Amino acid sequence: LPAVGATLQGRTVALSSMRGTIAKRLVESKVTIPHYQVTVDVDMDALLALRAQLNEQLSGLGGGVKLSVNDFLVRACALAMHEHPFVNSKWVDGGKDGPAIEILGQINVGIAIALPMERGGGLVVGTIRGADQLGLRHISGESRRLATKAREKGLTIEEMSDSTFTISNLGMFGVSHFTAIINPPNVAILAVGAAVER
C-alpha cells in the first residue's frame, strides 16, 4: 500500500505526432467501419508440436532462426486469404458506379508492433508483403526485422503501408482475450490471445 497521505503528481503528457495520428486513425476506424467480433477457441496442440519439431531442426542449421507462433499465424492467414479473396480486399467509395469492393492482387499481412515508451509508445503495423508466397523462415526473418527496426529506428512509410489484413497478438503477455480495432483500409483484424493448456 502507498504510504499514508502519499499522493500522485498530476501532469499532462504531450502526444508525439505519431501517437496523435494513431489515435485519430483508431477513432476514425471505430466510427466509419462497422465492427463485429467473433471469438473462437482453437486447439493449438498440432501447431505447437510442429513448431517444436521445426525449431529443433532449425537449431541444427545455425543462423539463429526460431519460429514463433505468430509466424505460423501469418502464414495460415495469408493462405486463407488466398483461398478467400474477399478477405483480401478494401472498400472503395469513389468511382462512377458508387461504392465498390476492390479485391487486391497481393496478400500483405500486417503485424501489430508495440513501441517502447522511449520511442513515444503506441502501436505501429509493419507489412509483410506477398505473405502467401513466403515460407515460415522468411516470414520469421521479416517479422523480426520489422519489429526490431520499429522499436529502434522506426519504420518507413513503405514498411507500414499496403497491409490488407492485420494480426494483433497479445498472447505473449498472458492476455487471453481482447478486441482489436480494424486498421484501415483492412477489412479485418485477428486478435490473438495466449495458448493455454487445459
Side-chain angles (χ1 to χ4, degrees):
L1 293 174
V4 175
T7 60
L8 293 175
Q9 181 111 20
R11 61 189 173 124
T12 301
V13 178
L15 291 178
S16 66
S17 60
M18 182 187 66
R19 287 189 82 183
T21 301
I22 292 167
K24 286 177 188 166
R25 289 196 63 197
L26 291 177
V27 170
E28 176 189 341
S29 176
K30 277 302 257 186
V31 170
T32 62
I33 300 173
H35 279 62
Y36 71 94
Q37 291 77 33
V38 177
T39 302
V40 64
D41 291 334
V42 177
D43 185 344
M44 293 289 287
D45 289 341
L47 186 148
L48 294 175
L50 177 60
R51 176 180 174 243
Q53 176 189 345
L54 291 177
N55 278 334
E56 186 176 323
Q57 292 171 1
L58 288 169
S59 69
L61 299 176
V65 177
K66 187 171 182 184
L67 302 174
S68 70
V69 169
N70 219 55
D71 299 331
F72 285 87
L73 295 175
V74 169
R75 177 86 172 129
C77 288
L79 293 176
M81 291 162 63
H82 190 95
E83 191 172 332
H84 303 281
F86 271 95
V87 181
N88 192 51
S89 65
K90 68 180 179 180
W91 182 264
V92 181
D93 272 325
K96 61 180 181 178
D97 298 325
I101 295 171
E102 180 183 351
I103 298 175
L104 303 165
Q106 187 176 30
I107 295 173
N108 300 329
V109 177
I111 52 169
I113 303 165
L115 300 179
M117 289 308 295
E118 308 84 64
R119 296 239 347 110
L123 195 70
V124 294
V125 175
T127 303
I128 299 176
R129 296 175 183 280
D132 61 323
Q133 304 297 314
L134 304 178
L136 285 167
R137 284 187 359 182
H138 194 129
I139 289 170
S140 178
E142 185 64 0
S143 294
R144 267 200 314 273
R145 183 191 74 77
L146 288 168
T148 300
K149 188 174 178 200
R151 292 181 181 122
E152 292 177 358
K153 297 187 236 174
L155 297 176
T156 65
I157 296 295
E158 184 179 345
E159 290 169 322
M160 294 187 292
S161 62
D162 302 325
S163 66
T164 55
F165 179 88
T166 300
I167 298 172
S168 184
N169 187 346
L170 293 177
M172 66 282 292
F173 301 111
V175 174
S176 58
H177 177 270
F178 68 104
T179 302
I181 299 173
I182 295 172
N183 179 38
N186 295 184
V187 296
I189 187 166
L190 177 66
V192 181
V196 179
E197 187 175 359
R198 65 183 183 204

